[in-house]
């Protein structure tokens, strides 16, 4: 007999065309996000926990229940695993009302879930008449109506209108805050993961690369991939000691920057867009790193503007961008401090 599982326990290997998905972790309570690019195995993870994929080996279970155990030849079908799953496209029945969609998950809990998800006034509507955020709440209510031990969410923000993303994200965070069971959410968007989960596991090619809080992953990414996923500029270079507690890094492309991190040899230079200032003239100050280059692009996101020049992207307020008159093709200067320049050996 295997040991009693006191939480959601996941430990399995499953073959895929380009790589094997090999994962091992426990989730006691709360919400953990699995963040990674498309094709990294995130949805395969959820489908395997739910019983929709069969691993080559391993064990999946909750408390004293074994849902899959290759050694003991246990493989419970999805309907016996008590897993609630919210699919990326929500998978609502278009011909059923909101109430009937929720009741499909569990008639006994339909009224409770309609109230909890603030759907009482919409219970007679059909999915086609609902907004993206409302459809998401229906899918979540249906999943919870099954009285699951574990809740799984597959890219919950992917099918939503970008204009409503922040609003729906805040609402989803509020709703999930009241879910008292282990919840696993997968997303390709680190910003979504950071907004919704206290713990994030970064995934690539079927493996978990690093697990931590959003601030830990930003402050100390273990490699360039993790840094890039969290939104950093990642630039290849070669480092050597420069004296005065600094390392000098010669970047690919001919630029040179300095860092307070000690490093020798091939490195990934990591600097976040919000740590990069943009100017049209070199200003005096404590900033040690300056990259002068033509502006390749300038993209507005609400009240923020992202400007790419040379090997870096800077994020500044749209008001600052307009004041400086930044336009594609003009030469500008990206400046950032040595203390904001992280070096990760490659």
């Amino acid at each position: 007999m295997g040991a009693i599982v006191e939480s959601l326990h996941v430990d399995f290997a499953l073959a895929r065309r380009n790589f094997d998905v090999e994962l091992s972790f426990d989730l006691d309570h709360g919400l953990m996000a699995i963040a990674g690019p498309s094709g990294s195995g995130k949805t395969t993870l959820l489908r395997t926990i739910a019983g929709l994929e069969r691993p080559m080996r391993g064990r999946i279970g909750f408390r004293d229940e074994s849902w899959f155990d290759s050694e003991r030849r246990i493989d419970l079908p999805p309907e016996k695993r008590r897993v609630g799953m919210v699919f990326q496209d929500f998978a609502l029945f278009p011909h059923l009302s909101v109430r009937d969609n929720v009741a499909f998950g569990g008639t006994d809990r339909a009224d409770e879930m309609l109230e909890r998800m603030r759907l009482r006034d919409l219970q007679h509507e059909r999915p086609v008449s609902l907004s993206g955020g409302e459809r998401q709440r229906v899918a979540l209510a249906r999943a919870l109506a099954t009285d699951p031990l574990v809740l799984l969410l597959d890219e919950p923000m992917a099918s939503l209108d970008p204009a409503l993303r922040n609003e729906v994200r805040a609402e989803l965070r509020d709703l999930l805050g009241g879910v008292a069971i282990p919840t696993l959410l997968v997303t390709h968007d680190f910003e979504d993961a950071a907004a919704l989960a206290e713990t994030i596991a970064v995934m690539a090619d079927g493996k978990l690369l690093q697990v931590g809080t959003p601030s830990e992953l930003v402050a100390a990414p273990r490699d360039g991939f993790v840094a890039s996923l969290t939104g950093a500029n990642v630039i290849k270079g070669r480092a050597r000691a420069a004296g005065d507690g600094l390392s000098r890094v010669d970047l690919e492309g001919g630029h040179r920057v300095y860092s307070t991190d000690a490093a020798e040899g091939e490195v990934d230079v990591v600097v976040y867009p919000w740590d990069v200032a943009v100017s049209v003239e070199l200003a005096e100050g404590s900033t040690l790193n300056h990259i002068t280059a033509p502006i390749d692009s300038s993209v507005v996101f609400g009240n923020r503007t992202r400007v790419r020049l040379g090997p870096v992207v800077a994020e500044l307020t749209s008001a600052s961008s307009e004041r400086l008159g930044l336009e594609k093709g003009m030469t500008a200067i990206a400046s950032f401090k040595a203390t904001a320049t992280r070096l990760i050996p490659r």
Side-chain angles (χ1 to χ4, degrees):
M1 296 290 290
I4 293 178
V5 179
E6 297 295 338
S7 60
L8 172 65
H9 176 73
V10 177
D11 183 3
F12 72 87
L14 187 151
R16 276 287 169 258
R17 183 175 60 186
N18 297 325
F19 53 79
D20 289 348
V21 178
E22 296 181 284
L23 299 168
S24 180
F25 63 88
D26 292 280
L27 181 58
D28 295 320
H29 56 80
L31 190 155
M32 181 168 79
I34 306 290
S38 298
S40 60
K42 304 186 302 300
T43 296
T44 296
L45 163 63
L46 298 191
R47 290 176 57 83
T48 303
I49 294 172
L52 302 173
E53 300 268 2
R54 191 178 193 279
M56 300 180 293
R57 59 171 177 79
R59 187 163 71 96
I60 301 169
F62 188 88
R63 296 199 183 110
D64 58 346
E65 296 184 19
S66 288
W67 297 341
F68 175 83
D69 190 323
S70 56
E71 291 186 359
R72 297 166 61 195
R73 297 185 178 180
I74 294 173
D75 186 14
L76 297 186
E79 63 270 19
K80 292 187 178 295
R81 295 197 181 197
R82 289 189 64 187
V83 171
M85 188 160 178
V86 177
F87 295 91
Q88 181 173 331
D89 61 358
F90 307 139
L92 300 177
F93 298 110
H95 62 290
L96 297 182
S97 67
V98 166
R99 181 181 183 80
D100 289 341
N101 265 282
V102 175
F104 186 87
T107 304
D108 293 343
R109 301 191 71 195
D111 286 333
E112 175 192 349
M113 289 301 108
L114 287 169
E115 196 69 40
R116 184 170 171 181
M117 296 294 149
R118 303 192 290 273
L119 294 167
R120 178 72 64 184
D121 293 341
L122 299 172
Q123 62 179 314
H124 301 301
E125 300 290 335
R126 298 286 177 89
V128 69
S129 67
L130 303 179
S131 68
E134 290 167 344
R135 289 196 298 273
Q136 183 182 79
R137 279 154 49 198
V138 176
L140 189 57
R142 184 179 63 184
L144 291 173
T146 65
D147 193 22
L149 296 173
V150 176
L151 180 63
L152 309 177
L153 296 95
D154 186 8
E155 296 277 6
M157 310 297 294
S159 61
L160 299 176
D161 187 336
L164 299 175
R165 200 178 189 90
N166 287 338
E167 177 184 341
V168 176
R169 183 192 289 151
E171 182 177 48
L172 182 60
R173 181 173 61 242
D174 178 53
L175 294 173
L176 292 177
V179 175
I181 59 175
T183 302
L184 198 60
L185 175 153
V186 304
T187 178
H188 66 278
D189 190 310
F190 183 80
E191 190 173 345
D192 284 345
L196 295 169
E198 294 181 359
T199 302
I200 301 174
V202 178
M203 186 173 181
D205 294 338
K207 311 291 188 299
L208 296 185
L209 302 184
Q210 186 174 356
V211 181
T213 65
S215 58
E216 287 170 347
L217 296 179
V218 169
R222 66 174 294 181
D223 58 25
F225 179 88
V226 175
S228 179
L229 186 72
T230 63
N233 294 290
V234 179
I235 315 161
K236 292 179 172 59
R238 175 173 287 276
R240 65 183 179 88
D244 295 327
L246 296 173
S247 296
R248 189 185 88 181
V249 186
D250 294 313
L251 305 178
E252 290 185 352
H255 298 285
R256 177 177 296 170
V257 297
Y258 294 86
S259 172
T260 51
D261 288 355
E264 290 280 348
E266 299 293 327
V267 296
D268 282 326
V269 177
V270 175
V271 60
Y272 284 89
W274 50 84
D275 288 324
V276 181
V278 178
S279 60
V280 293
E281 295 182 357
L282 187 61
E284 295 183 1
S286 60
T287 303
L288 191 58
N289 296 324
H290 307 284
I291 293 178
T292 302
I295 294 176
D296 293 323
S297 64
S298 179
V299 182
V300 177
F301 297 94
N303 64 348
R304 311 291 293 178
T305 298
R306 287 207 161 194
V307 178
R308 173 176 289 279
L309 61 164
V312 298
V313 172
E315 183 176 283
L316 58 159
T317 65
S318 296
S320 295
S321 177
E322 292 177 7
R323 178 175 52 81
L324 292 168
L326 301 180
E327 295 179 355
K328 182 178 179 180
M330 71 178 289
T331 298
I333 304 167
S335 303
F336 46 98
K337 295 181 179 181
T339 53
T341 306
R342 301 294 314 284
L343 303 183
I344 303 176
R346 282 196 286 116

